[in-house]
């Protein structure tokens, strides 16, 4: 990314032969990966915000759908909204809850599900991913690890009711849900379903990673791991 940033910088021509200007370009290009990451994260936040507002609107709740779409348009990202709207109508999504914070006290983790909805009469737990477009014009496919997030959501024990008041209720969306990953791009939206046959393996991996994380925290909090030891006292003559 740094090399590409230098090559595509319009100031490169005038910087050739000027060490000071070349150093300035190199210094700026060294941040290319971080800038890309931060830009992608901000774009993802704007797309997720729009998706949440559409769900709230469909549920008859207060929403800011228009403002969320304007924020996308201001960043030349409105095609994401257009493709999402097409997906929403085509799949006839019936939202039940949006941006649901869940908790599992047995294993010890919390997280947020983007959407709980019924599609075609089937209960679905949905995770959105904002994705770029490949050279073929198709949205880039999802990483299979999205299954771990969805499996963890399906194993929730409680869900937040009022975050301000801190009230929770038992998780009520565990009736054999379909787990869907939705890749939202500027040219299309791709929907994939977690294969039920692999869910136990992915849940096992998630559970194992949680145990490793917990063990690491215990080691970190345990104190000094190595202490210097001096030599023994001299033997008596």
């Amino acid at each position: 990314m740094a090399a590409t940033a230098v090559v595509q910088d319009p100031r490169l021509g005038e910087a050739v032969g000027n060490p000071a200007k070349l150093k300035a370009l190199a210094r700026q290009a060294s941040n290319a990966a971080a800038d890309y990451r931060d830009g992608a994260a901000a774009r993802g936040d704007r797309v997720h915000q729009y998706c949440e507002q559409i769900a709230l609107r469909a549920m008859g709740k207060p929403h800011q759908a228009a403002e969320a779409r304007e924020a996308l348009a201001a960043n030349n990202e409105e095609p994401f909204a257009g493709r999402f709207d097409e997906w929403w109508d085509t799949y006839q999504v019936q939202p039940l809850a949006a941006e649901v914070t869940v908790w599992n006290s047995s294993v010890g983790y919390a997280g947020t599900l983007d959407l709980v909805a019924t599609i075609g009469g089937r209960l679905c737990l949905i995770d959105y991913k904002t994705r770029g477009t490949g050279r073929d014009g198709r949205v880039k496919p999802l990483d299979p690890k999205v299954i771990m997030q969805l499996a963890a959501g399906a194993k929730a024990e409680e869900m937040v009711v009022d975050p301000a008041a801190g009230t929770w209720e038992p998780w009520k969306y565990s009736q054999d849900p379909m787990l869907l990953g939705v890749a939202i791009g500027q040219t299309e939206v791709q929907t994939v379903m977690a294969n039920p046959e692999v869910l136990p393996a992915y849940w096992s991996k998630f559970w194992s990673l949680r145990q490793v994380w917990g063990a690491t925290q215990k080691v970190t909090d345990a104190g000094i791991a190595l202490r210097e030891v001096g030599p023994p006292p001299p033997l008596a003559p």
Side-chain angles (χ1 to χ4, degrees):
M1 285 187 177
T4 300
V6 170
V7 171
Q8 294 180 347
D9 196 305
R11 298 169 296 172
L12 180 59
E14 64 182 54
V16 173
N18 187 318
K21 290 185 177 181
L22 283 174
K23 286 183 179 178
L25 288 183
R27 188 165 49 250
Q28 180 175 327
S30 67
N31 297 323
D35 292 342
Y36 177 85
R37 176 202 63 203
D38 295 343
R43 181 191 67 190
D45 288 344
R46 287 188 291 270
V47 173
H48 274 70
Q49 171 71 359
Y50 179 75
C51 297
E52 179 187 3
Q53 299 308 309
I54 293 301
L56 293 175
R57 184 178 69 184
M59 290 186 288
K61 296 183 178 182
H63 65 87
Q64 296 181 325
E67 293 83 349
R69 189 167 190 128
E70 289 173 2
L72 289 172
N75 289 276
N76 298 316
E77 297 163 344
E78 194 168 15
F80 286 102
R83 303 296 78 73
F84 179 79
D85 290 346
E86 293 168 0
W87 172 82
W88 187 273
D89 292 338
T90 300
Y91 277 74
Q92 302 174 52
V93 181
Q94 301 295 317
L96 301 173
E99 289 294 315
V100 189
T101 300
V102 298
W103 167 250
N104 181 310
S105 59
S106 299
V107 180
Y109 67 86
T112 302
L113 286 166
D114 291 331
L115 184 68
V116 180
T118 57
I119 297 177
R122 182 76 182 273
L123 177 67
C124 300
L125 305 184
I126 298 170
D127 188 73
Y128 302 130
K129 298 294 183 188
T130 304
R131 303 292 289 165
T133 303
R135 294 182 178 179
D136 59 357
R138 303 292 305 275
V139 64
K140 293 182 178 179
L142 294 177
D143 190 309
K145 67 174 177 284
V146 70
I147 297 177
M148 282 198 294
Q149 297 173 260
L150 289 165
K155 294 283 187 178
E157 296 175 343
E158 295 179 282
M159 60 182 286
V160 71
V161 177
D162 186 337
T167 55
W168 297 72
E169 68 179 15
W171 179 237
K172 58 185 179 181
Y173 300 116
S174 58
Q175 304 83 30
D176 187 29
M178 182 183 294
L179 308 184
L180 301 180
V182 178
I184 304 172
Q186 292 182 295
T187 58
E188 64 174 341
V189 173
Q190 183 185 78
T191 306
V192 295
M193 180 188 75
N195 181 356
E197 295 179 1
V198 308
L199 283 176
Y202 276 86
W203 168 250
S204 177
K205 182 178 180 179
F206 178 88
W207 183 91
S208 298
L209 290 171
R210 174 60 182 84
Q211 305 314 305
V212 171
W213 181 86
T216 302
Q217 289 298 112
K218 289 181 180 179
V219 169
T220 301
D221 298 337
I224 298 174
L226 299 172
R227 293 181 177 178
E228 185 175 356
V229 178
L235 296 174

